[in-house]
Amino acid sequence: MKGRSERNEEVRARKSRMDEPAGKGDADEAARYLATAVADLGLIARRHGLDTLGYLLDMAQMEAEEIVRLRAARDRS
């Protein structure tokens, strides 16, 4: 189990990455990437018997895919 100082270091590292400027990708690209990444995480969760976590990740995947679909429909209009 990780100690408090290790967890604090991870939180600080995560916060510093969040402060970095956004890349060149747009929101559509981010949503597509997140849908794929979350799908992979869902597979891992279910493979290890973490069914509730897998379900929540499936919901996140569906939300990201819906964002992609709605933005694409809006762009076609």
Side-chain angles (χ1 to χ4, degrees):
M1 186 165 241
K2 292 183 181 182
R4 183 181 300 254
S5 63
E6 288 178 69
R7 286 192 306 270
N8 289 340
E9 286 179 36
E10 288 178 3
V11 170
R12 281 192 296 275
R14 198 175 316 126
K15 283 182 182 178
S16 70
R17 286 192 304 268
M18 290 173 60
D19 292 337
E20 293 175 0
K24 295 180 182 177
D26 59 6
D28 294 336
E29 182 180 350
R32 284 190 301 274
Y33 173 79
L34 289 168
T36 301
V38 171
D40 292 341
L41 292 171
L43 288 172
I44 293 168
R46 282 187 299 285
R47 184 177 302 136
H48 294 282
L50 304 170
D51 297 329
T52 302
L53 183 55
Y55 171 80
L56 293 171
L57 290 165
D58 288 345
M59 294 298 104
Q61 177 189 358
M62 290 171 56
E63 180 69 17
E65 290 171 345
E66 180 72 0
I67 290 168
V68 171
R69 188 185 68 74
L70 290 173
R71 290 175 69 97
R74 184 194 67 202
D75 291 345
R76 284 191 300 265
S77 306

XYZ file of all heavy atoms in Angstrom:
599
model
N 0.844 -1.175 0.000
C 0.000 0.000 0.000
C 0.891 1.239 0.000
O 1.928 1.277 0.649
C -0.909 -0.038 1.215
C -1.925 1.054 1.249
S -3.213 0.680 2.444
C -4.574 0.658 1.327
N 0.470 2.254 -0.711
C 1.271 3.466 -0.829
C 1.138 4.318 0.422
O 0.068 4.416 1.017
C 0.816 4.288 -2.030
C 1.105 3.623 -3.337
C 0.698 4.497 -4.470
C 0.978 3.773 -5.767
N 0.656 4.568 -6.912
N 2.248 4.943 0.766
C 2.242 5.853 1.899
C 1.705 7.214 1.501
O 1.515 7.524 0.321
N 1.452 8.010 2.506
C 0.888 9.348 2.279
C 1.795 10.194 1.385
O 1.324 10.881 0.492
C 0.666 10.042 3.608
C 0.028 11.409 3.475
C -0.150 12.066 4.821
N -0.993 11.273 5.687
C -2.235 11.573 5.994
N -2.768 12.667 5.510
N -2.939 10.809 6.789
N 3.116 10.147 1.608
C 4.018 10.981 0.813
C 4.010 10.564 -0.657
O 4.073 11.413 -1.544
C 5.441 10.939 1.366
O 5.962 9.638 1.282
N 3.908 9.259 -0.937
C 3.838 8.800 -2.331
C 2.553 9.282 -2.999
O 2.574 9.714 -4.149
C 3.913 7.277 -2.396
C 5.269 6.705 -2.078
C 5.248 5.197 -2.125
O 5.110 4.653 -3.240
O 5.345 4.581 -1.057
N 1.444 9.207 -2.277
C 0.170 9.676 -2.837
C 0.222 11.179 -3.086
O -0.263 11.659 -4.100
C -0.988 9.320 -1.908
C -1.358 7.853 -1.937
C -2.677 7.589 -1.246
N -2.748 8.087 0.109
C -2.408 7.401 1.201
N -1.977 6.169 1.092
N -2.506 7.940 2.398
N 0.808 11.925 -2.153
C 0.922 13.376 -2.323
C 1.760 13.725 -3.544
O 1.443 14.664 -4.270
C 1.497 14.027 -1.067
C 0.527 14.018 0.082
O -0.677 13.867 -0.102
N 1.042 14.166 1.293
N 2.840 12.979 -3.769
C 3.684 13.211 -4.949
C 2.884 12.962 -6.225
O 3.004 13.712 -7.194
C 4.911 12.311 -4.917
C 5.957 12.725 -3.917
C 7.145 11.781 -3.909
O 7.516 11.280 -4.989
O 7.697 11.566 -2.821
N 2.092 11.892 -6.238
C 1.275 11.587 -7.417
C 0.269 12.690 -7.684
O 0.062 13.082 -8.833
C 0.547 10.254 -7.242
C 1.454 9.061 -7.326
C 0.708 7.758 -7.098
O -0.527 7.788 -6.926
O 1.373 6.709 -7.086
N -0.362 13.208 -6.642
C -1.332 14.293 -6.796
C -0.646 15.539 -7.346
O -1.153 16.180 -8.264
C -2.041 14.594 -5.462
C -2.856 15.869 -5.539
C -2.930 13.419 -5.072
N 0.523 15.869 -6.810
C 1.255 17.039 -7.311
C 1.644 16.866 -8.774
O 1.528 17.795 -9.575
C 2.491 17.303 -6.458
C 2.198 18.010 -5.155
C 3.468 18.502 -4.491
N 4.359 17.431 -4.092
C 4.277 16.752 -2.952
N 3.333 17.045 -2.095
N 5.124 15.799 -2.667
N 2.086 15.678 -9.152
C 2.472 15.419 -10.541
C 1.263 15.539 -11.456
O 1.348 16.106 -12.541
C 3.099 14.034 -10.673
N 0.132 15.011 -11.015
C -1.093 15.083 -11.812
C -1.523 16.534 -11.996
O -1.884 16.959 -13.084
C -2.199 14.278 -11.122
C -3.334 13.923 -12.014
C -4.368 13.021 -11.346
N -3.797 11.936 -10.588
C -4.071 11.680 -9.307
N -4.930 12.419 -8.644
N -3.513 10.660 -8.693
N -1.455 17.329 -10.928
C -1.843 18.739 -11.008
C -0.917 19.499 -11.946
O -1.361 20.347 -12.710
C -1.830 19.378 -9.626
C -3.021 19.002 -8.795
C -2.983 19.701 -7.450
C -4.164 19.287 -6.598
N -4.113 19.914 -5.274
N 0.391 19.194 -11.921
C 1.313 19.916 -12.796
C 1.040 19.575 -14.259
O 1.159 20.432 -15.129
C 2.768 19.627 -12.424
O 3.109 18.305 -12.754
N 0.648 18.333 -14.552
C 0.307 17.972 -15.932
C -0.959 18.701 -16.370
O -1.098 19.074 -17.527
C 0.132 16.471 -16.069
C 1.417 15.693 -16.053
C 1.204 14.256 -16.471
N 0.217 13.559 -15.677
C 0.467 12.848 -14.585
N 1.694 12.739 -14.145
N -0.497 12.231 -13.941
N -1.892 18.906 -15.454
C -3.131 19.588 -15.792
C -2.892 21.060 -16.111
O -3.641 21.680 -16.839
C -4.145 19.449 -14.657
C -4.672 18.036 -14.517
S -5.712 17.787 -13.072
C -7.017 18.944 -13.348
N -1.835 21.634 -15.558
C -1.512 23.037 -15.792
C -0.807 23.263 -17.121
O -0.649 24.401 -17.545
C -0.630 23.579 -14.662
C -1.381 23.652 -13.345
O -2.624 23.710 -13.369
O -0.716 23.644 -12.293
N -0.373 22.181 -17.768
C 0.323 22.319 -19.047
C -0.658 22.812 -20.104
O -1.848 22.514 -20.058
C 0.912 20.973 -19.481
C 2.033 20.498 -18.590
C 2.528 19.112 -18.961
O 1.986 18.520 -19.919
O 3.433 18.629 -18.296
N -0.159 23.571 -21.086
C -1.052 24.054 -22.139
C -1.618 22.889 -22.950
O -0.988 21.843 -23.082
C -0.149 24.940 -23.008
C 1.238 24.559 -22.651
C 1.214 23.976 -21.275
N -2.821 23.092 -23.474
C -3.477 22.054 -24.269
C -2.685 21.811 -25.547
O -2.014 22.708 -26.062
C -4.894 22.491 -24.610
N -2.783 20.603 -26.039
C -2.114 20.263 -27.286
C -2.846 20.846 -28.478
O -3.761 21.656 -28.338
N -2.465 20.412 -29.653
C -3.069 20.937 -30.871
C -4.422 20.300 -31.176
O -5.156 20.786 -32.008
C -2.127 20.725 -32.052
C -0.853 21.519 -31.915
C 0.053 21.285 -33.090
C 1.342 22.062 -32.900
N 2.290 21.839 -33.960
N -4.742 19.183 -30.523
C -6.000 18.497 -30.778
C -7.189 19.315 -30.304
O -7.105 20.111 -29.386
N -8.319 19.081 -30.956
C -9.525 19.801 -30.578
C -10.383 18.931 -29.663
O -10.018 17.821 -29.296
C -10.301 20.234 -31.815
C -10.718 19.064 -32.698
O -10.508 17.904 -32.298
O -11.268 19.317 -33.779
N -11.531 19.450 -29.276
C -12.420 18.731 -28.363
C -12.925 17.433 -28.984
O -13.107 16.432 -28.277
C -13.596 19.620 -27.969
N -13.141 17.423 -30.296
C -13.591 16.197 -30.962
C -12.540 15.105 -30.836
O -12.852 13.953 -30.525
C -13.875 16.449 -32.448
C -15.048 17.383 -32.664
O -15.905 17.475 -31.764
O -15.099 18.013 -33.727
N -11.306 15.468 -31.075
C -10.210 14.506 -30.967
C -10.091 13.999 -29.536
O -9.893 12.805 -29.299
C -8.901 15.145 -31.410
C -7.737 14.195 -31.381
C -6.436 14.846 -31.831
O -6.459 15.966 -32.346
O -5.388 14.205 -31.635
N -10.236 14.900 -28.571
C -10.160 14.500 -27.164
C -11.276 13.519 -26.819
O -11.028 12.508 -26.155
C -10.237 15.737 -26.273
N -12.487 13.795 -27.274
C -13.618 12.904 -26.977
C -13.422 11.534 -27.616
O -13.717 10.505 -26.990
C -14.923 13.539 -27.451
N -12.916 11.498 -28.845
C -12.651 10.204 -29.496
C -11.582 9.421 -28.740
O -11.717 8.217 -28.517
C -12.233 10.409 -30.954
C -13.379 10.747 -31.884
C -12.964 10.712 -33.346
N -11.883 11.647 -33.654
C -12.064 12.926 -33.966
N -13.270 13.427 -34.019
N -11.036 13.698 -34.238
N -10.535 10.109 -28.354
C -9.462 9.452 -27.599
C -9.987 8.924 -26.267
O -9.702 7.787 -25.875
C -8.304 10.431 -27.358
C -7.259 9.860 -26.442
C -6.318 8.960 -26.919
C -7.247 10.187 -25.087
C -5.368 8.400 -26.077
C -6.299 9.639 -24.235
C -5.371 8.747 -24.735
O -4.444 8.195 -23.904
N -10.744 9.738 -25.567
C -11.273 9.318 -24.274
C -12.212 8.126 -24.405
O -12.187 7.221 -23.569
C -11.980 10.489 -23.593
C -11.040 11.584 -23.088
C -11.829 12.825 -22.712
C -10.212 11.083 -21.931
N -13.028 8.103 -25.453
C -13.927 6.963 -25.661
C -13.121 5.680 -25.802
O -13.463 4.647 -25.211
C -14.800 7.194 -26.895
N -12.040 5.732 -26.553
C -11.199 4.555 -26.748
C -10.478 4.164 -25.461
O -10.457 2.988 -25.085
C -10.166 4.827 -27.855
O -10.860 5.162 -29.059
C -9.288 3.627 -28.113
N -9.906 5.149 -24.783
C -9.160 4.864 -23.556
C -10.065 4.287 -22.479
O -9.710 3.317 -21.803
C -8.481 6.142 -23.058
N -11.248 4.853 -22.329
C -12.177 4.384 -21.306
C -12.674 2.978 -21.646
O -12.871 2.153 -20.751
C -13.330 5.389 -21.128
C -14.419 4.843 -20.243
C -12.808 6.689 -20.554
N -12.853 2.689 -22.930
C -13.258 1.337 -23.333
C -12.191 0.323 -22.915
O -12.513 -0.751 -22.386
C -13.489 1.276 -24.837
N -10.934 0.672 -23.123
C -9.840 -0.214 -22.716
C -9.825 -0.410 -21.206
O -9.646 -1.528 -20.709
C -8.491 0.341 -23.177
C -8.326 0.304 -24.686
O -9.062 -0.456 -25.346
O -7.462 1.037 -25.193
N -10.030 0.667 -20.462
C -10.059 0.560 -19.008
C -11.238 -0.292 -18.539
O -11.107 -1.064 -17.582
C -10.138 1.958 -18.378
C -8.894 2.824 -18.544
C -9.180 4.239 -18.065
C -7.721 2.228 -17.806
N -12.365 -0.170 -19.216
C -13.524 -0.995 -18.877
C -13.243 -2.474 -19.055
O -13.645 -3.298 -18.231
N -12.538 -2.811 -20.138
C -12.162 -4.206 -20.362
C -11.270 -4.725 -19.238
O -11.455 -5.840 -18.743
C -11.437 -4.354 -21.701
C -12.292 -4.208 -22.954
C -11.404 -4.186 -24.197
C -13.299 -5.332 -23.032
N -10.319 -3.911 -18.835
C -9.421 -4.313 -17.753
C -10.217 -4.516 -16.461
O -10.025 -5.510 -15.754
C -8.307 -3.267 -17.552
C -7.384 -3.242 -18.773
C -7.512 -3.546 -16.272
C -6.433 -2.061 -18.803
N -11.107 -3.589 -16.167
C -11.893 -3.688 -14.935
C -12.718 -4.975 -14.912
O -12.700 -5.714 -13.920
C -12.803 -2.465 -14.793
N -13.416 -5.257 -16.003
C -14.250 -6.460 -16.045
C -13.408 -7.731 -16.005
O -13.790 -8.714 -15.376
C -15.164 -6.424 -17.257
C -16.360 -5.508 -17.032
C -17.351 -5.606 -18.164
N -16.754 -5.214 -19.447
C -16.500 -3.954 -19.802
N -16.796 -2.968 -18.996
N -15.976 -3.680 -20.968
N -12.266 -7.713 -16.663
C -11.382 -8.881 -16.670
C -10.957 -9.255 -15.255
O -10.713 -10.418 -14.952
C -10.152 -8.584 -17.529
C -9.207 -9.764 -17.680
C -8.036 -9.459 -18.587
N -8.478 -9.044 -19.912
C -7.965 -8.015 -20.594
N -6.990 -7.294 -20.079
N -8.404 -7.717 -21.782
N -10.903 -8.268 -14.388
C -10.461 -8.503 -13.018
C -11.623 -8.515 -12.026
O -11.409 -8.394 -10.815
C -9.404 -7.468 -12.622
C -8.147 -7.633 -13.411
N -7.219 -8.613 -13.126
C -7.691 -6.985 -14.509
C -6.234 -8.540 -14.007
N -6.492 -7.572 -14.860
N -12.827 -8.664 -12.549
C -13.984 -8.811 -11.680
C -14.469 -7.530 -11.032
O -15.229 -7.574 -10.071
N -14.049 -6.395 -11.559
C -14.471 -5.107 -11.011
C -15.683 -4.620 -11.805
O -15.617 -3.676 -12.589
C -13.315 -4.105 -11.076
C -12.030 -4.574 -10.383
C -10.876 -3.653 -10.711
C -12.251 -4.692 -8.889
N -16.785 -5.317 -11.605
C -17.970 -5.110 -12.444
C -18.569 -3.718 -12.328
O -18.958 -3.123 -13.333
C -19.021 -6.169 -12.128
C -18.533 -7.569 -12.448
O -17.723 -7.705 -13.382
O -18.955 -8.515 -11.755
N -18.660 -3.183 -11.124
C -19.236 -1.849 -10.964
C -18.356 -0.804 -11.640
O -18.855 0.084 -12.340
C -19.430 -1.506 -9.477
O -20.275 -2.495 -8.886
C -20.063 -0.138 -9.304
N -17.064 -0.928 -11.458
C -16.142 0.000 -12.116
C -16.243 -0.146 -13.633
O -16.262 0.854 -14.357
C -14.711 -0.247 -11.645
C -13.637 0.683 -12.195
C -13.984 2.143 -11.927
C -12.296 0.329 -11.584
N -16.331 -1.390 -14.111
C -16.515 -1.612 -15.547
C -17.767 -0.954 -16.064
O -17.770 -0.337 -17.138
N -18.849 -1.051 -15.304
C -20.117 -0.421 -15.694
C -19.959 1.100 -15.780
O -20.397 1.726 -16.750
C -21.206 -0.790 -14.683
C -22.481 -0.035 -14.879
C -23.385 -0.418 -15.865
C -22.790 1.066 -14.090
C -24.561 0.280 -16.062
C -23.962 1.769 -14.278
C -24.845 1.375 -15.262
O -26.006 2.085 -15.466
N -19.340 1.693 -14.774
C -19.150 3.143 -14.779
C -18.275 3.585 -15.950
O -18.541 4.618 -16.588
C -18.541 3.597 -13.451
C -19.451 3.438 -12.241
C -18.676 3.698 -10.962
C -20.659 4.345 -12.345
N -17.260 2.817 -16.253
C -16.404 3.140 -17.393
C -17.172 2.999 -18.703
O -16.983 3.792 -19.638
C -15.149 2.274 -17.377
C -14.173 2.611 -16.245
C -13.160 1.500 -16.060
C -13.493 3.944 -16.484
N -18.075 2.001 -18.777
C -18.930 1.869 -19.963
C -19.801 3.110 -20.135
O -20.015 3.587 -21.250
C -19.818 0.631 -19.860
C -19.066 -0.669 -20.039
O -17.913 -0.636 -20.523
O -19.639 -1.720 -19.692
N -20.322 3.624 -19.033
C -21.154 4.839 -19.097
C -20.322 6.025 -19.587
O -20.796 6.831 -20.393
C -21.761 5.157 -17.726
C -22.759 4.140 -17.215
S -24.212 3.997 -18.293
C -23.842 2.460 -19.129
N -19.085 6.124 -19.110
C -18.203 7.204 -19.553
C -17.900 7.064 -21.042
O -17.859 8.061 -21.779
C -16.914 7.202 -18.736
N -17.710 5.837 -21.500
C -17.464 5.599 -22.923
C -18.677 6.032 -23.748
O -18.533 6.714 -24.767
C -17.171 4.129 -23.183
C -16.978 3.816 -24.653
C -16.899 2.327 -24.937
O -16.946 1.497 -24.032
N -16.782 1.978 -26.199
N -19.862 5.642 -23.301
C -21.079 6.028 -24.027
C -21.236 7.540 -24.079
O -21.635 8.101 -25.104
C -22.299 5.378 -23.372
C -22.352 3.871 -23.582
S -23.632 3.038 -22.632
C -25.097 3.896 -23.122
N -20.909 8.226 -22.992
C -21.009 9.682 -22.958
C -20.033 10.309 -23.955
O -20.396 11.218 -24.702
C -20.726 10.184 -21.540
C -20.791 11.686 -21.394
C -22.186 12.250 -21.547
O -23.162 11.487 -21.449
O -22.302 13.468 -21.760
N -18.807 9.827 -23.983
C -17.813 10.366 -24.918
C -18.242 10.112 -26.361
O -18.115 11.001 -27.220
C -16.446 9.746 -24.643
N -18.757 8.923 -26.639
C -19.221 8.616 -27.995
C -20.407 9.481 -28.390
O -20.520 9.906 -29.546
C -19.568 7.135 -28.106
C -18.345 6.238 -28.066
C -18.684 4.758 -27.950
O -19.848 4.416 -27.622
O -17.775 3.941 -28.180
N -21.283 9.776 -27.438
C -22.428 10.644 -27.719
C -21.968 12.069 -28.037
O -22.497 12.714 -28.935
C -23.390 10.644 -26.515
C -24.597 11.512 -26.692
C -25.615 10.964 -27.683
O -25.387 9.878 -28.267
O -26.643 11.615 -27.888
N -20.970 12.537 -27.317
C -20.416 13.864 -27.600
C -19.863 13.906 -29.014
O -20.118 14.852 -29.764
C -19.331 14.223 -26.561
C -19.981 14.471 -25.201
C -18.505 15.421 -27.016
C -19.001 14.554 -24.058
N -19.119 12.888 -29.402
C -18.564 12.821 -30.756
C -19.688 12.826 -31.784
O -19.649 13.581 -32.763
C -17.677 11.569 -30.934
C -17.285 11.370 -32.387
C -16.432 11.668 -30.057
N -20.718 12.015 -31.548
C -21.837 11.917 -32.491
C -22.574 13.254 -32.621
O -22.845 13.720 -33.727
C -22.812 10.831 -32.034
C -23.913 10.527 -33.040
C -24.919 9.540 -32.494
N -25.711 10.084 -31.402
C -26.692 10.983 -31.545
N -26.993 11.438 -32.733
N -27.369 11.425 -30.500
N -22.865 13.888 -31.506
C -23.596 15.160 -31.533
C -22.780 16.270 -32.193
O -23.317 17.073 -32.952
C -24.003 15.569 -30.124
C -25.080 14.712 -29.472
C -25.280 15.122 -28.014
C -26.383 14.798 -30.250
N -21.493 16.303 -31.916
C -20.654 17.348 -32.522
C -20.526 17.132 -34.023
O -20.520 18.083 -34.799
C -19.299 17.384 -31.837
C -19.388 17.928 -30.404
C -18.055 17.849 -29.711
N -17.102 18.775 -30.288
C -16.833 19.984 -29.803
N -17.434 20.407 -28.715
N -15.945 20.756 -30.388
N -20.445 15.868 -34.445
C -20.358 15.578 -35.871
C -21.653 15.970 -36.574
O -21.630 16.548 -37.671
C -20.068 14.090 -36.107
N -22.789 15.695 -35.946
C -24.087 16.079 -36.521
C -24.197 17.592 -36.604
O -24.695 18.122 -37.597
C -25.219 15.487 -35.694
N -23.749 18.276 -35.582
C -23.788 19.743 -35.582
C -22.902 20.307 -36.686
O -23.276 21.245 -37.389
C -23.333 20.277 -34.236
C -23.433 21.800 -34.133
C -22.693 22.335 -32.960
N -21.268 22.104 -33.206
C -20.357 22.056 -32.268
N -20.696 22.197 -31.030
N -19.089 21.867 -32.561
N -21.730 19.717 -36.892
C -20.811 20.197 -37.917
C -21.339 19.956 -39.324
O -21.020 20.706 -40.246
C -19.438 19.530 -37.756
C -18.730 20.005 -36.499
O -19.145 21.027 -35.906
O -17.747 19.336 -36.103
N -22.158 18.906 -39.506
C -22.741 18.630 -40.815
C -23.855 19.614 -41.172
O -24.189 19.805 -42.324
C -23.298 17.207 -40.875
C -22.241 16.142 -41.011
C -22.857 14.798 -41.339
N -23.783 14.342 -40.314
C -23.474 13.521 -39.313
N -22.235 13.087 -39.187
N -24.374 13.148 -38.433
N -24.458 20.219 -40.148
C -25.591 21.131 -40.377
C -25.148 22.461 -40.907
O -24.128 22.947 -40.759
C -26.351 21.381 -39.085
O -26.745 20.198 -38.494
